[in-house]
Amino acid sequence: MRTDSSPGTLPAREHLPAGNAGTPVLDVVIPVYNEEKDLQPCVLRLHDHLTRTFPYAFRITIADNASTDSTPLVAARLEAEIPEVANFRLEQKGRGRALRTVWSASDAPILAYMDVDLSTDLNALLPLVAPLISGHSDLAIGSRLARTSRVVRGPKREFISRAYNMILRGSLQARFSDAQCGFKAIRRDVAQVLLPLVEDTGWFFDTEVLVLAERAGLRIHEVPVDWVDDPDSTVHIVKTATDDLKGVWRIGKALAGGSLPLDRLTRPFGDDPRDRDIQDVPKGLARQLVGFCVVGGLSTLFYLVLYSVFRQFSGAQVANALALLVSAIANTAANRRLTFGVRGRGGAVRHQAQGLVVFGIGLALTSGSLAALNAATGDPAHSTELAVLIAANLAATVLRFLLFRAWVFPDRRESGRESTVAATHHPSTPTYSTTAPYAPLPQRPVPYQQPYQTTQVRAGEAADGSWRDATMRLQPVRPHDTDPGDPR
């Protein structure tokens, strides 16, 4: 999993205006590998559909990733005959690699892809990209598992698809319904920031993009689709399923360990109304108070249960100290992650040490309360002890929140984090600004302009965070040039 920071942040989503520029609004990528029979019918049918129904200029890009049959010749002929068709040749296999490369180099504000078999009804294409054009959503996916979808496929594929999506929901808490439908779209400004974080180059690419986007606070729009299974599909189900499970484990481990910089991307990505300023309330205080109260309530219940257990074999002071120590460690860890949004292991020991100091203050308050109770009443009832401890803990809670906010987890975003996130890369290849507004978008009749005039392509950011290896030269394909991670 890549841990390098992104090359910028995103502004709030806005509607893309229509105009008379020469850049296509939509770039539909068709990744292919040895599809000499299906490629031409697919492109002709898609081109006819877009010509009749899509109100803006468009481009169809054939992403040929290392085909060894006559697919390159078919693609070149289509490019020569149809102005809206572009041909892009890669020398390595992998659907994810093809999409990352073409999307990174494209100048269209809306990027989409679909499988060459056109299993998905094309009538869903305009509903797929419309929320992205309007600024409502950041990504859009076709869903075969929505209630209103109409799907024709065998029981084996149906079971595998539903089981895989259940695994994503159970292990990664994914809320989208269909990760693997070959019918997706993304805004270019989102792709430029999100793709450098995606590692997979094969079939798991879709899932990784969606999981990271969802965790970063992006809005994912789902479109019910009509879908008919392709009986001649070359996908190796067992190999693909195994690779997908390995990818789920990899992402789950990275998310659990806090190694991804998604916390630095959530606010500029999401445009979340909960992040907006509240009048007369310091920024972030309202959310932190809610989180602290929830954690505090659960910690209090946990503390009382521990106290009642420890009280069975020890005195009141010892039971109180032990219960408060254990609950304080859990409380600090929960507030660190949930209330103040601190992820990763950096500073965890220091935070726990500071939390123990706060624990000492709470111990002094509660122990002093018990001592005062015992001085006033020689043998107080257990319920009386609990009532006194609850009151003392309420007072300690207010002080604990203030110390946590001002001392243990101070907000350093204004001075440090925002300057880090705002830093941008300056690659040698052209990049697209993620802060400047889009140029006016063209109507469809505008003459097409060929965007690819070079044999060097932007392949995305290098894994070590630098840009020195961000391009690759295309060489003649050889039959043994294969990607061992690709099942096709």
Side-chain angles (χ1 to χ4, degrees), residues 20 24 119 157 187 196 261 310 374 380:
N20 291 316
S119 295
R157 283 183 175 268
R187 288 174 65 103
F310 293 148
N374 289 326

Side-chain angles (χ1 to χ4, degrees), residues 359-428:
F359 151 75
I361 297 174
L363 178 62
L365 287 175
T366 54
S367 297
S369 300
L370 284 177
L373 177 63
N374 289 326
T377 305
D379 188 17
H382 182 65
S383 58
T384 304
E385 287 182 349
L386 291 179
V388 171
L389 288 174
I390 291 174
N393 269 284
L394 289 176
T397 297
V398 177
L399 182 59
R400 186 183 305 119
F401 176 75
L402 296 176
L403 290 174
F404 273 172
R405 180 175 171 82
W407 179 48
V408 183
F409 307 110
D411 189 356
R412 298 187 176 92
R413 287 174 297 182
E414 297 297 331
S415 60
R417 192 176 72 180
E418 288 185 354
S419 62
T420 301
V421 174
T424 58
H425 296 274
H426 299 284
S428 57

Side-chain angles (χ1 to χ4, degrees), residues 213-286:
E214 189 174 72
R215 290 300 184 97
L218 293 168
R219 177 175 291 166
I220 301 174
H221 179 75
E222 295 196 13
V223 178
V225 297
D226 298 339
W227 192 86
V228 179
D229 189 16
D230 178 16
D232 299 325
S233 175
T234 59
V235 178
H236 298 174
I237 296 179
V238 176
K239 181 66 166 60
T240 302
T242 302
D243 292 341
D244 287 345
L245 293 178
K246 291 179 181 179
V248 170
W249 172 258
R250 173 172 53 82
I251 290 184
K253 185 170 62 174
L255 292 174
S259 60
L260 288 169
L262 297 182
D263 57 320
R264 291 178 288 169
L265 303 176
T266 300
R267 293 177 64 83
F269 261 10
D271 189 26
D272 194 332
R274 295 172 296 179
D275 294 333
R276 298 171 186 168
D277 293 335
I278 302 176
Q279 188 176 2
D280 300 327
V281 177
K283 190 174 183 180
L285 177 59

